[in-house]
Amino acid sequence: MTLGGGRDGKLRSLERRGHTERTTYRDTGAQPSKIMQNLPLESGSNTAGYAPIGVPPGLEYLSQIDQILIHQKIELLEAIIGFETNNQYEIKNVLGQTIFRAKENNDCCTRNCCGALRSFNIKLMDNMDCEVIQLVRPFRCNSCWCPCCLQELEVQAPPGTVIGYVVQDWHPCLPKFSIQGPSRETLLKLEGPCLACNCCGDVNFELKDKDGEQCIGRISKQWSGLVKEIFSDADNFGIQFPMDLDVKIKAVLLGACFLIDFMFFEKTGDKNQRFTIFR
């Protein structure tokens, strides 16, 4: 009887302890494993202890990464005859897993008449085909000689809610941008080289603090190979930022990458790629 009671008591103690551990796991929230950190979250997967508070829906996965890769899709019609089509992109993590898909929404006349200067609306969809980010670029001047009408991009997440802006800062030689919050307050600075030409190498736009002193990341236009660079304007980019950076600011940096692509690396028809801020 004593042995049986002792064993039963021990089993009950283990069951209680196991139940307590499971309850604690649910209440306090478990940290995601390394495997889960490498997997994109699906829209609407608001796992307890996993989705950060105050993060726009669909952007939870951005809180777990410090690098993003952006690949522009090659359009055969555009590559063969030079007819400008809507740009399409895939946004991936470092393992090559797709996080978002982006597509420009523009009409034929605007694309082929305004070229890289064109205004655009780019929608970013998650893996569940839910729109999570919207990028809005108005038509603006492309010359540093007109400082009153420089480039700007508005970032919305979810669509309809502004979370930040990318604003070009006037400079006679260098491409400079301010990363701003929803109230137009400057949070970070972005500075590129005087000559944005990737001849067999990457072009880096350095991400700095709001005072422009400490470098904390970068946006890189990656060299895609001689043949692809000559015959196509399909570009590859990489974005690096601190892991603990606000998710909304990470989304704004994503928008900054698209603006840089259109300003300096977009070729339309027989028009050459733009390398500086002078035209």
Side-chain angles (χ1 to χ4, degrees), residues 29-69:
Q31 294 295 325
S33 65
K34 292 183 179 180
I35 297 177
M36 293 182 68
Q37 289 178 357
N38 293 328
L39 296 176
L41 287 176
E42 294 183 352
S43 177
S45 59
N46 187 17
T47 306
Y50 194 67
I53 298 175
V55 174
L59 303 187
E60 295 87 355
Y61 182 67
L62 291 181
S63 65
Q64 307 172 43
I65 56 178
D66 58 3
Q67 293 186 58
I68 297 177
L69 304 177

Side-chain angles (χ1 to χ4, degrees), residues 18-19 49 58-59 61-62 73 95 113-114 120 159 164 168 172 179 184 194-195 198 235 240 254 263 265 272 275-276:
H19 176 72
L59 303 187
Y61 182 67
L62 291 181
K73 293 184 177 180
L95 298 180
C113 294
C114 299
F120 62 67
Q168 182 183 7
I179 307 300
R184 297 280 185 173
C194 181
L195 188 63
N198 59 333
D235 301 313
Q240 300 177 23
L254 190 57
M263 286 183 63
F265 305 105
N272 293 326
F275 296 124
T276 69

Side-chain angles (χ1 to χ4, degrees), residues 1 12 34 57 84 86 101 119 132 142 144 156 177 188 205 222 238 248 256 274:
M1 178 67 69
R12 285 194 295 269
K34 292 183 179 180
E84 185 68 21
N86 281 319
R101 289 173 291 102
S119 60
V132 294
N142 71 335
C144 69
Q156 303 175 7
F177 302 88
L188 297 172
F205 290 75
Q222 300 171 346
K248 296 178 183 179
R274 179 189 179 201

